[in-house]
């Protein structure tokens, strides 16, 4: 049940249903929550670990919602036992832009699918997951994948098995995803939509040294929801330096506007040698791409010394989606 970063996150205008159409390149990284399910009298969840006190344990809990959605999809699923006890050990921080809640939902789906022997295919599980949250289908799939629609329409990226080394900088605080999308709409203003055109440039957030014309948190340009061909070709080439130069996130200026300290965090990582930097999803976690494992270690040490974040973690990507680790 991995966390994710978005190597590209291009956001279109708000839709009638309140969501935004997007084009994104998801990338699963090696920061995992562990979720266990056991038969129980009724559905319940207990949470330990990182930010445990901030995870809801009622029906707002995404893992419990996933359990209910799966039960509804396979009516005989719960016959042997009326409920499940979900236990989660969290390492992915809450409301950090890393889709931790979606990872937990995906894990609960995979676990209950096994427990109930539903026989659903991965695609059917993804369809159930998509009803729980926009990022759940990707948390099931893992790897590197292009997401469209709300993010739930996935195409795995045909890329070589290059391992990328990342440093995640966890912020001292949280951001609520809907607020970040709303801030983006506000920054763009009423005239900011409807243009099509060039792939995202530096102003859409995300930044590597060759694209220094972009801002670390400048006002977002109009939405251009096109897949960044240069990013995809960098991924196909397995070229970390090129990938670093093409990282982009339309939500970044919005996240920085709500959490101005991120500007310093992003700048520090680049100054300390990252190949590229961007806000992870809706933030406030920042992700820095390093040239190799050694550079990642150096960067992690330097970042924690620089005092520009709460803590750091070294992760690699891509990693597989939610998997069963024991029967
Ligand atoms: O799908 P999920 O519940 O994860 O989305 C959380 C919120 O993020 C939505 O309620 C919406 O405000 C925003 N969102 C969006 N467009 C997307 C995905 C999420 O506006 N494609």
């Amino acid at each position: 049940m991995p966390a994710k970063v978005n190597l590209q996150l291009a956001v279109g205008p708000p839709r009638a249903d309140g969501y935004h159409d997007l084009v994104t390149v998801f990338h699963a990284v090696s920061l995992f929550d562990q979720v266990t399910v056991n038969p129980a009298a009724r559905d319940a969840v207990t949470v330990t670990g990182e930010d445990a006190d901030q995870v809801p344990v009622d029906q707002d809990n995404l893992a419990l919602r996933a359990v209910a959605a799966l039960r509804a999809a396979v009516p005989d699923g719960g016959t042997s036992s009326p409920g499940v006890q979900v236990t989660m050990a969290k390492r992915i921080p809450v409301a950090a832009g890393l889709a931790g809640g979606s990872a937990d939902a995906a894990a609960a789906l995979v676990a209950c699918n096994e427990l109930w022997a539903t026989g659903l295919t991965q695609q059917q599980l993804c369809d159930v997951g998509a009803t729980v949250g926009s990022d759940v289908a990707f948390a099931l799939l893992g790897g590197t994948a292009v997401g469209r629609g709300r993010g739930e329409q996935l195409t795995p990226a045909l890329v070589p098995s290059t391992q990328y080394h990342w440093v995640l900088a966890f912020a001292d605080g949280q951001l609520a995803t809907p607020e970040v999308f709303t801030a983006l709409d506000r920054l763009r203003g009423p005239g900011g939509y409807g243009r099509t055109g060039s792939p995202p440039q530096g102003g859409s957030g995300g930044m590597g040294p060759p694209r220094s014309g972009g801002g670390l948190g400048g006002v977002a340009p109009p939405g251009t929801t096109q897949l960044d061909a240069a990013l995809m070709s960098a991924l196909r080439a397995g070229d970390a330096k090129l990938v670093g130069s093409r990282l982009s996130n339309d939500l970044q200026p919005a996240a920085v506007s709500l959490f101005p300290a991120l500007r310093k965090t992003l700048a520090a990582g680049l100054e300390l040698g990252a190949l590229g930097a961007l806000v992870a999803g809706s933030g406030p976690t920042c992700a820095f791409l390093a040239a190799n494992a050694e550079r990642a270690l150096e960067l992690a040490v330097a970042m924690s010394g620089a005092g520009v974040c709460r803590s750091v973690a070294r992760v690699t990507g891509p990693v597989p989606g939610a998997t069963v680790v024991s029967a």
Side-chain angles (χ1 to χ4, degrees):
M1 318 71 203
K4 59 85 191 159
V5 297
N6 305 73
L7 308 181
Q8 180 192 5
L9 181 46
V11 181
R15 314 191 307 200
D17 64 2
Y19 285 91
H20 296 68
D21 271 322
L22 35 97
V23 174
T24 187
V25 180
F26 287 113
H27 183 74
V29 295
S30 60
L31 179 68
F32 300 95
D33 286 351
Q34 195 167 346
V35 174
T36 311
V37 299
N38 285 296
R42 57 186 175 81
D43 288 349
V45 63
T46 51
V47 187
T48 60
E50 183 87 16
D51 294 345
D53 56 334
Q54 290 167 56
V55 178
V57 292
D58 57 12
Q59 281 301 323
D60 283 345
N61 184 284
L62 284 187
L64 286 187
R65 281 168 49 189
V67 170
L70 183 64
R71 188 179 286 120
V74 280
D76 58 338
T79 48
S80 60
S81 122
V84 287
Q85 170 68 42
V86 179
T87 309
M88 40 172 103
K90 285 205 65 68
R91 290 186 56 216
I92 307 172
V94 172
L98 297 166
S102 297
D104 301 336
L109 282 178
V110 167
C112 287
N113 197 44
E114 192 84 0
L115 185 69
W116 297 337
T118 69
L120 290 191
T121 63
Q122 166 117 342
Q123 182 56 51
Q124 288 170 314
L125 266 193
C126 282
D127 292 345
V128 174
T131 67
V132 178
S134 302
D135 294 335
V136 178
F138 175 72
L140 287 163
L141 188 67
T144 302
V146 175
R148 297 177 193 276
R150 286 187 293 128
E152 85 287 11
Q153 297 164 23
L154 296 173
T155 315
L158 295 172
V159 293
S161 60
T162 313
Q163 195 178 42
Y164 295 94
H165 297 268
W166 297 90
V167 174
L168 301 179
F170 302 127
D172 209 357
Q174 302 179 331
L175 283 174
T177 303
E179 285 170 25
V180 180
F181 275 98
T182 302
L184 174 63
D185 294 339
R186 203 170 47 234
L187 282 175
R188 284 173 165 175
Y193 290 107
R195 263 181 36 190
T196 55
S198 55
Q201 296 301 311
S204 63
M207 197 177 172
R211 300 169 68 207
S212 53
L216 287 171
V219 175
T224 55
T225 44
Q226 288 178 8
L227 187 61
D228 181 1
L231 170 66
M232 295 313 287
S233 113
L235 287 168
R236 278 192 296 273
D239 185 329
K241 196 166 178 211
L242 266 181
V243 170
S245 73
R246 295 307 307 183
L247 299 174
S248 70
N249 180 359
D250 281 1
L251 288 179
Q252 180 163 307
V256 171
S257 77
L258 296 171
F259 205 128
L262 299 184
R263 192 186 295 273
K264 240 184 175 171
T265 312
L266 291 164
L270 289 171
E271 230 163 79
L272 292 166
L275 299 177
L278 86 177
V279 167
S282 55
T285 304
C286 294
F288 302 90
L289 184 58
N292 52 45
E294 201 185 345
R295 290 279 107 79
L297 177 58
E298 286 166 10
L299 181 59
V301 170
M303 286 292 292
S304 29
V308 290
C309 55
R310 174 171 59 82
S311 62
V312 299
R314 277 180 302 135
V315 296
T316 59
V319 296
T323 42
V324 176
V325 289
S326 64

